[in-house]
Each structure stands twice: as C-alpha cells, then as structure tokens.
Amino acid sequence: MHPVQIPFNKPHLTGKELNYIQEAVAKGKLSGNGFFTQACQQLLQKKFGFGTCFLTHSCTGALEMAALLLDIQPGDEVILPSFTFVSTANAFALRGAKLVFSDTLPGFPEMDLEQVESLINSKTKAIVIVHYAGFGMQIQAYRQLADKHGLMLIEDAAQAISSKVNEKYLGTFGDLASLSFHETKNIQSGQGGVLIVNNPKFLERARIIWEKGTDRSSFFEGKKNHYSWIDLGSSFQMSELSAAFLWGQMQELEGIQARRKAIWEGYFRLFTVGKSELFAEKYDQLLLKAIANLGQGQALEFQKNVGNYHLFYLVFDSFQNRRRFIEELLSQGVLSVFHYQSLHKSEFIRAHQPESAMLELPNSDIFSERLVRLPFYYDLPEDTKDKI
Ligand SMILES: Cc1ncc(COP(=O)(O)O)c(C=O)c1O
C-alpha cells in the first residue's frame, strides 16, 4: 500500500494564532471566560445574528449543556436523526432521554420532516436537527413544526458555520444551537465549540451551567459577595488559549471560505462536467451515473440555500463500490473517509434501547454504507483533483 500523501484533513493555520496566544499569556488569564472568549462570543453574535454565545470545549459540550437546559428527565423523548455523530445522541442519552430516531430524506442526509411529525407524542420534549455538510434546507419548516407542537428545537450546526437559509444564518433558528471548532471544521481551535442561546428563557441557567453549576459569573460581576453551587453543571468553558487561537482563525474567516468555495467548485466540476470518458475507463456506467446524479442534487440544494463548503461527499450505488473507490484512492496515496454508522443499529442502542435497533431506516443505512468524503482542507494541493 502507498503511504498517504494527501490526508483527509489538515488543520489550517492563518499565522495569527500564536500572536494571540502570546497576548493571552501576557494578559495573565488562561482559564475560561477571559478577553478572547468574550471577543469571540461578541463577534459570533454580531456577525451571524446569534443569540447569546457561550464558548465551550467542544460542540459535544455545547450539546450536553443544551440537554441540561431542557431539563430532560428519564423517559422524555427527543427526536433526532440516526445518521449523525454520536455526540448528538450522547448528550441526551446522558440525561436519560429516550432517543427517537428518524430516517433522512432519500436524496440528502437531513431528517425527513413528515416522519419527524409522525414521531411526536405527549412525551416528546425536543427535536434535534443536524445540518449535514452545512445545509439546513428545511429549517424554517422545522421551526414551524416545533412551534405548532410546543416543542424545543435544537440545531446541531457542528458543520454549519456561515451557512444561510433565506438570508438568515443557521444557528439562529433553534431555541438552542451548537457549532463545532474541531480541527476538521472550517475554522477551528483544535477542539472547541459554542452554545448559542436564542431563546432568552434559557439564558440565566446557561450562565450557571457553563460555570460548573455555580453563580460565579454574578460573583465576578460584583452582584454577589460569594458564589455557591445552585444547579447541575460542568466544566464546559473553552480555555483562553484555545479562544485566542480561535480569534486568530475568525479574523480570516472570509479568506478561508473563499478558498473552500474554490475547492468545492473544483470537485463539483470534476464529477459533473465532461469527465465521463475518463471515468468510464475505470468504473462501470452505473457508478458514473450515481456520481453525476448526486452532484446535480447537491448543486440544486446549494443554489436554493447558501452552504458553507464544509465537505464534499459522493454516494455510491453499493457498499462494495464505495470500498473499491476508497481502496483505489488509497493506492494513489489519497485518503478518503466515510462516516456516521446509523446510530439506531449501534452496539449501545442494541444494549440500551433494543426496540430502536429493530427500526427500518433505509435512507440512513444507505448513507452509512455508501457515502464517502473526499479530502477537503484549505491547503489541499492543486493537483489533488487531477489525481482523484
Ligand atoms: C453533527 C455533529 N455533531 C456534533 C459533533 C461534535 O463536535 P465536537 O468534536 O466539537 O465535539 C460533530 C463532530 O464532528 C458532528 O459532526
């Protein structure tokens, strides 16, 4: 096997991060909620129109805060996609929720709205929608659905920074929303995330939960003469060192997005325009058709909404052909990956919610078995596309 020359991801550095980290060190406050944390939070609020932002150590942490804020009790039901990252589910499972898995749409890995509505009952507390690849096509309909049934809407926008639907940024629709700044994301701080509190009824408790369940924020603001333990909470904050790093990334967001757009469009042209003969040499016509169809589907969605060029994926006609494709690329030194095994079939769900493991969610399974992500990062060498 050839060594990997083109990895799947390479965290991009803007060159500003270390200067800001040095500044943070000079300021003498390195734990959370310092100068850079506040600067990042304010920028996110101003630039994207988000409600109050709380930087966290990860998007996972932000989702766990959301579950605490919803006051989920054992037996409460939360509707979420099966095709998602474990953190979407774990956050609510940790609070004892029953996870109610929905299938995705057939052509795109976003939850099926009609099916979600059919899953709502008197125990349902919240709908958690995941903006796969930075798209949130039906988010307005989900907002209406949640309002109609008096439910909370949570946006897992881990992949969706800078994406819009009808001129409004994803992350502004949910009562609560989360973004990730993991090193695979468009802008990153190694690990990191943010909880966005759009519904003001959650604001006061969010401050407390973020501060390990204490009213330390009020103490620091001089509103109390001591602080104490008053609610559940945990060490959710992002360190100032990470916030300083993130601030360096935020300064370059426009340039990063422009570069990612160019990469995305390069891939898109590769799989849709005038390359048929080249592919036919190696792969069968069916595979070719599957790739071309998907490309058009993505493009249509892309035009309707404004995505953020987070990732580029293909869906094959079979599990075997996906494997062949991944192996073929690897033999050329290019690492492509797949992700999200349908959660309803996971070992955890088989052990803890066995009735859910029996569900038939065919579209989730198709994406689990046939989707592949191509290498996608700022510094991707120009000749990668030709190689692929
Ligand atoms: C949809 C989704 N939710 C949550 C997460 C967790 O993010 P983090 O790694 O910042 O905890 C991820 C990670 O990529 C994700 O893809």
Side-chain angles (χ1 to χ4, degrees):
M1 194 178 287
H2 291 238
V4 172
Q5 292 146 12
I6 309 289
F8 167 68
N9 178 58
K10 217 179 199 178
H12 168 64
L13 292 181
T14 66
K16 298 187 168 172
E17 294 84 354
L18 295 182
N19 289 342
Y20 289 127
I21 287 178
Q22 234 166 12
E23 242 184 76
V25 171
K27 285 183 194 301
K29 176 163 170 57
L30 299 181
S31 60
N33 202 10
F35 174 85
F36 286 104
T37 294
Q38 283 166 23
C40 289
Q41 290 174 170
Q42 277 158 22
L43 186 71
L44 288 165
Q45 288 162 197
K46 194 156 168 251
K47 186 169 175 56
F48 299 113
F50 294 151
T52 307
C53 289
F54 295 88
L55 284 196
T56 50
H57 53 68
S58 61
C59 180
T60 302
L63 290 163
E64 288 170 12
M65 279 186 74
L68 280 165
L69 281 167
L70 293 185
D71 202 18
I72 299 285
Q73 300 295 320
D76 287 345
E77 296 192 2
V78 173
I79 301 174
L80 74 168
S82 176
F83 186 78
T84 183
F85 193 66
V86 283
S87 298
T88 323
N90 249 327
F92 299 93
L94 276 165
R95 312 256 39 90
K98 175 171 184 218
L99 304 175
V100 179
F101 293 107
S102 165
D103 206 0
T104 71
L105 298 167
F108 186 77
E110 176 171 299
M111 273 196 302
D112 179 333
L113 185 82
E114 269 180 41
Q115 189 176 111
V116 168
E117 183 154 27
S118 75
L119 297 171
I120 294 172
N121 65 41
S122 59
K123 292 187 187 152
T124 310
K125 269 241 157 145
I127 300 170
V128 187
I129 176 145
V130 175
H131 300 315
Y132 186 76
F135 293 107
M137 298 183 286
Q138 310 170 94
I139 187 65
Q140 289 165 305
Y142 271 101
R143 182 68 267 173
Q144 284 164 7
L145 183 70
D147 290 343
K148 182 172 142 194
H149 293 275
L151 300 174
M152 291 294 116
L153 180 66
I154 314 301
E155 291 178 83
D156 180 348
Q159 303 182 344
I161 190 163
S162 234
S163 289
K164 283 183 189 170
V165 165
N166 287 348
E167 295 307 310
K168 226 175 148 252
Y169 285 101
L170 293 182
T172 60
F173 294 88
D175 296 281
L176 300 165
S178 62
L179 300 180
S180 172
F181 301 116
H182 183 265
E183 68 167 36
T184 48
K185 302 303 185 290
N186 293 24
I187 59 168
Q188 52 96 19
S189 53
Q191 305 244 39
V194 62
L195 176 76
I196 301 161
V197 179
N198 294 318
N199 185 334
K201 83 170 184 185
F202 292 120
L203 205 47
E204 204 181 317
R205 278 191 73 223
R207 285 207 178 90
I208 290 164
I209 290 169
W210 193 53
E211 281 281 15
K212 307 175 179 83
T214 73
D215 53 358
R216 193 158 68 164
S217 300
S218 303
F219 171 66
F220 284 141
E221 286 163 18
K223 293 179 191 155
K224 298 239 158 110
N225 56 13
H226 71 286
Y227 70 88
S228 58
W229 184 20
I230 49 179
D231 200 341
L232 287 176
S234 189
S235 186
F236 283 120
Q237 294 181 354
M238 180 186 275
S239 132
E240 268 295 282
L241 295 176
S242 298
F245 186 106
L246 184 62
W247 182 246
Q249 296 261 314
M250 282 185 175
Q251 307 308 305
E252 299 295 323
L253 180 63
E254 312 302 332
I256 289 171
Q257 288 301 92
R259 171 79 187 124
R260 295 186 77 98
K261 181 173 194 280
I263 295 169
W264 196 97
E265 287 177 349
Y267 272 144
F268 182 66
R269 278 195 299 276
L270 176 69
F271 289 106
T272 50
V273 187
K275 294 281 181 182
S276 312
E277 298 84 55
L278 193 148
F279 275 105
E281 280 174 22
K282 276 198 154 192
Y283 300 104
D284 58 56
Q285 284 299 327
L286 205 62
L287 174 60
L288 185 70
K289 207 163 151 248
I291 291 173
N293 286 346
L294 182 91
Q296 281 154 20
Q298 269 189 314
L300 277 178
E301 292 316 327
F302 196 75
Q303 282 158 20
K304 263 198 276 167
N305 305 302
V306 181
N308 68 343
Y309 312 101
H310 175 57
L311 58 83
F312 194 92
Y313 71 89
L314 303 168
V315 181
F316 284 81
D317 60 329
S318 69
F319 172 77
Q320 289 76 8
N321 277 336
R322 177 178 76 175
R323 197 175 55 203
R324 278 169 60 203
F325 178 79
I326 291 173
E327 284 170 3
E328 182 76 17
L329 280 194
L330 203 53
S331 75
Q332 304 293 320
V334 178
L335 183 63
S336 59
V337 300
F338 56 87
H339 66 167
Y340 299 165
Q341 298 304 288
S342 287
L343 291 179
H344 73 286
K345 291 187 167 169
S346 62
E347 197 176 322
F348 179 83
I349 290 297
R350 286 204 310 274
H352 297 276
Q353 254 185 232
E355 70 286 5
S356 302
M358 311 299 283
L359 289 169
E360 297 276 331
L361 305 177
N363 299 326
S364 296
D365 291 346
I366 284 176
F367 290 119
S368 287
E369 290 168 10
R370 305 186 199 168
L371 183 145
V372 66
R373 293 173 65 178
L374 300 182
F376 201 134
Y377 51 92
Y378 186 100
D379 302 295
L380 192 75
E382 284 303 328
D383 63 357
T384 307
K385 290 191 291 292
D386 298 335
K387 215 171 191 164
I388 288 176

